[in-house]
Amino acid sequence: YIGAECLLGNTPHRCSASAQTSCRLLRLDRATFDSIILSQTEEEDDDDDDEDDEGDGDTCAASQLVNIFVLSDSTGESANASVKTAAAQFEYCSGSTCATSRATVYRFVRSAAEIKTIVQAAKKSNALLVYTIMDPKLQRVLADECTAKELECIDLWGPLLASFERRFGAKRSGKAGRRQTVSDDYMTIVKAIEYTRKVDDGVLPHLWNECDVMLIGPSRAGKTPLSFYLAQRGYKVANYPLVPEEEPPKELFELDQQKCFALQIKPERLREIRTQRMKLFNRSN
């Protein structure tokens, strides 16, 4: 589904697609999209009745879209990531986008009035509420409102914080999630990411002497993803793609060779990755 990127969540996303055959592009509203997704899910459930499923025979028979409201007194990123990770456990029945659920994130919830408004909206959607709110007073308001509206709510951090209180012999501060401070370590990561972006894919060899790590390997062997993974941990990473009949630049040999690491990949896997990439551009090998 092209629209899955845009309509499964409540946050707008840009999406592009490349058609390999003649097709029609239809613009659907949210209600129509939901009805199509659910009808397809029901058809797939019927088709799979006679087939063995993975997960020791577990099946998914969702009859309606499951709305999940994520409440946070900060950015809500950690709570939303936890919800997505949990939803991924049900990919076997609803696809990689977990098409039978939709998460809506409410950020910087700091008052009882906001909580009551959100709970009222959740009641209309019959949503599951997942929250990471640190203020005990707001937690009680949320719990009371959910009880009154007969809604299920999950406190993601509550059990962990309660365990910490027992272990530390101290009470939690109740402060909202901390914000990123601009420390020396933070600036090191920012500079590493900027450097890695600048020299990606073998460009600007005159800057390679600044790198902490040089990754070398064939195209599509995973150099760029690994480069940015390391950059997010503070390492300046350059990478160079090996190309047949192309002489590597002299700067590569002038580097401290202990910084150089070669990436290997099985030929079959490399061919598979490259074939899929060619299909994205409507090209053949």
Side-chain angles (χ1 to χ4, degrees):
Y1 307 104
I2 299 174
E5 293 293 332
C6 306
L7 292 178
L8 283 176
N10 281 348
T11 302
H13 294 279
R14 290 181 178 179
C15 183
S16 60
S18 177
Q20 298 182 17
T21 60
S22 299
C23 67
R24 291 181 178 180
L25 181 62
L26 304 177
R27 182 175 183 177
L28 306 179
D29 58 29
R30 170 61 59 78
T32 306
F33 178 77
D34 289 349
S35 66
I36 293 175
I37 290 294
L38 292 174
S39 64
Q40 175 116 1
T41 301
E42 292 170 357
E43 291 175 4
E44 290 175 354
D45 289 339
D46 293 338
D47 292 340
D48 293 340
D49 283 343
D50 298 329
E51 298 179 5
D52 292 331
D53 296 313
E54 297 179 3
D56 298 327
D58 292 338
T59 59
C60 178
S63 59
Q64 61 181 1
L65 188 73
V66 177
N67 280 295
I68 305 171
F69 283 14
V70 181
L71 282 69
S72 173
D73 49 17
S74 187
T75 63
E77 293 300 324
S78 61
N80 193 34
S82 296
V83 167
K84 287 182 177 180
T85 300
Q89 292 296 315
F90 300 90
E91 288 182 359
Y92 69 91
C93 67
S94 55
S96 61
T97 55
C98 203
T100 54
S101 68
R102 179 195 299 130
T104 304
V105 183
Y106 294 90
R107 299 174 171 86
F108 302 108
V109 178
R110 303 286 176 85
S111 70
E114 289 177 286
I115 288 176
K116 292 178 181 180
T117 301
I118 295 169
V119 171
Q120 185 64 38
K123 178 63 176 178
K124 293 180 180 179
S125 302
N126 191 28
L128 168 67
L129 273 78
V130 179
Y131 66 91
T132 55
I133 294 178
M134 298 296 106
D135 188 333
K137 293 181 180 179
L138 293 182
Q139 287 182 358
R140 286 192 293 271
V141 171
L142 178 57
D144 292 343
E145 287 294 316
C146 287
T147 300
K149 296 291 193 299
E150 298 182 340
L151 287 173
E152 183 179 2
C153 62
I154 306 297
D155 182 0
L156 276 185
W157 292 113
L160 178 61
L161 291 172
S163 179
F164 276 13
E165 287 180 338
R166 291 192 297 270
R167 292 283 182 171
F168 294 145
K171 292 293 184 180
R172 71 192 75 175
S173 67
K175 294 180 180 179
R178 70 177 182 85
R179 297 186 179 183
Q180 179 66 55
T181 57
V182 184
S183 62
D184 290 341
D185 290 341
Y186 178 80
M187 291 308 301
T188 296
I189 292 173
V190 170
K191 291 177 181 178
I193 293 175
E194 177 60 22
Y195 172 85
T196 300
R197 182 197 62 79
K198 186 183 299 183
V199 301
D200 184 39
D201 204 27
V203 302
L204 304 180
H206 65 281
L207 297 178
W208 290 355
N209 61 326
E210 300 177 23
C211 75
D212 299 311
V213 177
M214 165 61 78
L215 300 178
I216 306 166
S219 178
R220 312 266 72 83
K223 299 183 300 301
T224 295
L226 180 56
S227 295
F228 281 96
Y229 175 86
L230 293 173
Q232 291 174 25
R233 283 145 185 82
Y235 296 98
K236 292 183 176 181
V237 185
N239 69 79
Y240 177 75
L242 293 175
V243 179
E245 301 179 1
E246 178 178 293
E247 189 70 22
K250 60 181 179 60
E251 288 85 353
L252 186 62
F253 302 98
E254 295 172 352
L255 278 174
D256 180 353
Q257 296 301 291
Q258 291 186 341
K259 295 182 178 181
C260 300
F261 296 86
L263 298 187
Q264 295 180 324
I265 185 172
K266 292 182 177 180
E268 297 81 8
R269 176 57 180 159
L270 182 60
R271 178 180 176 82
E272 179 183 346
I273 294 173
R274 289 179 172 176
T275 299
Q276 289 299 321
R277 184 172 175 79
M278 295 296 282
K279 288 181 179 179
L280 290 176
F281 295 99
N282 262 344
R283 297 175 60 186
S284 59
N285 291 338

